[in-house]
Every structure is written in C-alpha cells, then in structure tokens.
Amino acid sequence: MLHVRSIWNGAISFGLVSIPIKLVNATENHSISFRQIHTEDGGRIRYRKVCEMEEREVTASEIGKGYEDADGTIIPITDEDLASLPIPTARTIEIVAFVPADRIDPLQMDTAYYLAANGVPAAKPYTLLREALKRSRKVAIAKFALRGRERLGMLRVVDDVIAMHGLLWPDEIRTPESVAPDASVTVRDKELDLADALMDTLGEVDLAELHDDYREAVEEMIAAKASGGTAPSAPSAEKSGGKVIDLMSALENSVRQARVARGEDSADSGPDSGSGSDAEVKPLRKGTARKSSQAAPKPPSGKKPASAAKKAAAKKTTAGAPAKKASAKKTSAKSAAGADAKKAAAKKTTGGAKKTAARKRASA
C-alpha cells in the first residue's frame, strides 16, 4: 500500500483525535488510450501551450491558474492563496457525522481512495477509528479539500483499511424528472412472474470473474495489425431496429436460454412452471415421443386382443365371486331356519301326546 504514490497528505480529524494519513487512489484505469495522428502520414498531433499575448510556447513551470471574470478579466490565483483559505478542511479530512450505510445514495458515489496511516504514531488512532467503524456498522461522513475545491466524502472499512469515497454534493445530483416513460403502462402479474424467473435463473455472479471483453478485443486487434496480420472482425448481426416484439415470448425465451446456459433443463421454463403466459409453450418431457411411436396397433374389428380377453374374463370371475358367497350364505340361512321349524314341530307333537295320555288316565 505505502509503495503507491500518495496524492495528498493530511490528517483525519476525529473529534479531538488527529490521525496523520496519506491519500492513495483505490482504483486504476485499464482502458487503452489512443493518440491523435495525421491520417495522411501518421504524424502525431500535439497540443502546444501558447501564450496569447506573447504568441510563444511556454513551459509547465511558467503556467499558473486564474479565474476568468464575467467581463473576461483574468484574476490570478496562486497555490498559496488556496492554502491560506480559512477553512478547516484545507489539509484535514474532518468527520462530521456517522450514519448507516444505506443512507448514502449510490448516485452520490465518486472516486474511491485508500487512507494509509502516515507513520508509526498514526497506527493506534487509525486502528481505533477502523474498529469503531466496524463495530458500529456505520460509515463516517467527512469534508475535505482536494484539487482546489472542498468535497464531501464517506469513510468505510475495506478489509483492514479505511477507504474513502468521494461524494457529490446533494445539489450536484440531477432530479430524474421527465426521464421515466411518459406513457401509462400496466405490467401484468404473469410478466412479473417471468421476470422474476429470469432473475432467479441468472442468479448471482462473482464480480472477480468479470473482465473487459472490449479491451481484450482491442488488444488482439492491435497485436494483429502490428504483426501485419488481419484484424479479427465481429460476426454480422441482424438488425432489429424498430421491430415490435412479444414481451411474454421474449421473457420465456430468455428464461429458457439462461437455464440452458447454466446446464439446467430448459423444459422447466415453460408455462407449467407456474408463471403462465399468453404465448404458451408446451414442454416435451423425455420419453414422450418414444412411447407414442411404440403404441400397440389396433386389432381387427370385432376381435379383442388375447390379453384384453383374459383381463375381461378375470374381471368377470372376480366380480362373480361375491355373488356366489352371498348365495351360499343365503342357502345356509334357509337350512338353519328349516331345522329350527322341524324342532319346534316335533316339540309341539310330543307335548300334545302327553296331554292326551293324561286325559285318558283321568277318565278311567
């Protein structure tokens, strides 16, 4: 960290605590830069700094800064003038508040810096502020002066380092008036369901795996031209300007393609997945076509297949079993009732014979 050239030296003002720090750029630009050339002969086109009054080129040491007044008058401004301004942030990052991180609108985010402790005595208060930010789960809002103007900043912890994001002032953020669509548009639940499905399918990504495809293509093109080869050309793409598309179909196809790209079954992206749509897509499951092609041929008219006849006979036999059981049960019940009737008749006859005998003895 410290071997990187610092762009600003000062201190963090944390109440009465002062922390000497160095300001280091946290980002770097990897974009490929081009030079302006004369197209006829390839000669470099350079900008020369010329004094309008003397009409001669001047060196960097002769160049200062000035403010142009409304009438065109130039008022010279020196570095000493700016350094002597009566503001506490001239060489200090002054913390003014601690707020939750979600209070910061991402639109305000500007350049990012790392704050490095400047010297051994700064290690203790630097660590104190870093750990306080970690435990509070808040960010510090600060004011600082850099490159001739006072700026707003946000301090937060990145790993074991305090980082500072430059913030735009609230009045530098444009309001989004007249940016949203003028027409009144209604979004249906089915469309939202498909959009949600597409978001879920795309999922998350490791930002470290993303890279600049355009820069790589430019580097390949430069290498090819430098070696005398042919620069690679982009494949021709069909123009679709002004073409009206079916939003539902586009969403469904997007979900399907995203799932195929992730190695998932694209059939699950159809309407049967619960999203529904006007442009219905019937998913074809594996084995459906094979089963249809192997269907048994129809038998000649008036004849049933042997397997079908066997099934019908078995069904008839099975259905007749309960009837036979019921008939047998009914016969048994009738036999039992007949036996009881005979017993009752015999008992009655025996009783009658006994009474007759008794009467004969009495008359004798």
Side-chain angles (χ1 to χ4, degrees):
M1 174 78 58
L2 294 178
H3 68 278
V4 180
R5 185 177 66 88
S6 62
I7 61 174
W8 185 88
N9 292 347
I12 299 174
S13 175
F14 178 32
L16 297 178
V17 178
S18 181
I19 310 171
I21 57 96
K22 293 181 178 180
L23 196 67
V24 178
N25 280 322
T27 61
E28 54 188 4
N29 189 354
H30 289 165
S31 61
I32 299 174
S33 59
F34 298 99
R35 303 294 187 186
Q36 289 186 330
I37 62 171
H38 187 199
T39 55
E40 291 186 4
D41 53 21
R44 283 283 306 276
I45 302 297
R46 299 178 183 273
Y47 291 99
R48 302 183 185 278
K49 297 180 179 180
V50 177
C51 174
E52 292 181 350
M53 296 182 69
E54 298 182 9
E55 295 185 353
R56 70 176 181 88
E57 187 177 354
V58 296
T59 62
S61 60
E62 299 178 88
I63 300 174
K65 59 175 68 75
Y67 175 80
E68 185 175 3
D69 206 353
D71 60 358
T73 303
I74 301 296
I75 304 173
I77 303 295
T78 66
D79 292 338
E80 291 74 17
D81 293 333
L82 297 174
S84 61
L85 290 175
I87 56 174
T89 58
R91 303 300 299 176
T92 303
I93 299 174
E94 182 184 9
I95 295 177
V96 296
F98 293 87
V99 300
D102 58 7
R103 288 271 302 275
I104 306 300
D105 188 341
L107 284 174
Q108 288 186 257
M109 294 289 194
D110 202 359
T111 309
Y113 308 94
Y114 287 135
L115 304 182
N118 192 3
V120 176
K124 178 73 174 184
Y126 183 96
T127 305
L128 172 65
L129 177 59
R130 183 191 67 198
E131 296 304 313
L133 287 171
K134 281 184 180 180
R135 190 167 71 172
S136 68
R137 296 183 179 179
K138 293 182 177 180
V139 297
I141 303 301
K143 295 169 68 177
F144 66 103
L146 181 65
R147 297 190 179 99
R149 55 171 295 206
E150 188 174 54
R151 302 167 185 259
L152 196 62
M154 178 191 74
L155 277 63
R156 68 184 184 97
V157 178
V158 177
D159 295 334
D160 290 329
V161 176
I162 299 175
M164 181 173 69
H165 295 267
L167 299 179
L168 299 175
W169 296 98
D171 60 0
E172 293 179 319
I173 304 296
R174 293 177 177 176
T175 59
E177 295 177 357
S178 68
V179 177
D182 294 333
S184 178
V185 179
T186 302
V187 179
R188 295 179 297 170
D189 290 339
K190 291 181 180 180
E191 295 168 335
L192 283 174
D193 291 341
L194 279 173
D196 290 341
L198 179 58
M199 293 169 63
D200 292 339
T201 304
L202 293 176
E204 299 181 358
V205 66
D206 183 1
L207 295 180
E209 296 179 356
L210 301 179
H211 57 278
D212 189 346
D213 293 326
Y214 180 81
R215 178 170 60 89
E216 291 182 358
V218 171
E219 289 174 347
E220 292 177 4
M221 179 264 294
I222 292 174
K225 292 178 72 70
S227 61
T230 303
S233 59
S236 59
E238 295 182 0
K239 297 182 179 180
S240 59
K243 184 178 180 180
V244 179
I245 62 171
D246 184 346
L247 180 58
M248 295 295 292
S249 296
L251 287 169
E252 286 177 342
N253 292 333
S254 298
V255 173
R256 187 178 297 106
Q257 291 176 6
R259 287 180 174 172
V260 170
R262 292 170 63 92
E264 300 177 5
D265 188 2
S266 61
D268 295 338
S269 63
D272 292 342
S273 61
S275 59
S277 69
D278 292 337
E280 186 175 355
V281 178
K282 296 290 186 181
L284 181 62
R285 298 183 179 177
K286 295 180 179 179
T288 302
R290 185 178 301 172
K291 289 180 180 179
S292 300
S293 62
Q294 294 178 354
K298 292 183 179 181
S301 59
K303 294 184 180 181
K304 294 184 179 179
S307 58
K310 290 181 180 178
K311 289 182 179 179
K315 187 174 181 182
K316 186 175 181 182
T317 303
T318 306
K324 289 182 179 180
K325 288 183 179 180
S327 176
K329 190 173 182 182
K330 188 174 181 182
T331 303
S332 299
K334 287 182 179 180
S335 299
D340 292 342
K342 288 181 180 179
K343 287 182 180 180
K347 189 175 181 181
K348 187 176 181 181
T349 304
T350 305
K354 287 182 179 181
K355 287 180 180 181
T356 302
R359 288 175 182 172
K360 288 181 178 182
R361 286 197 298 268
S363 62

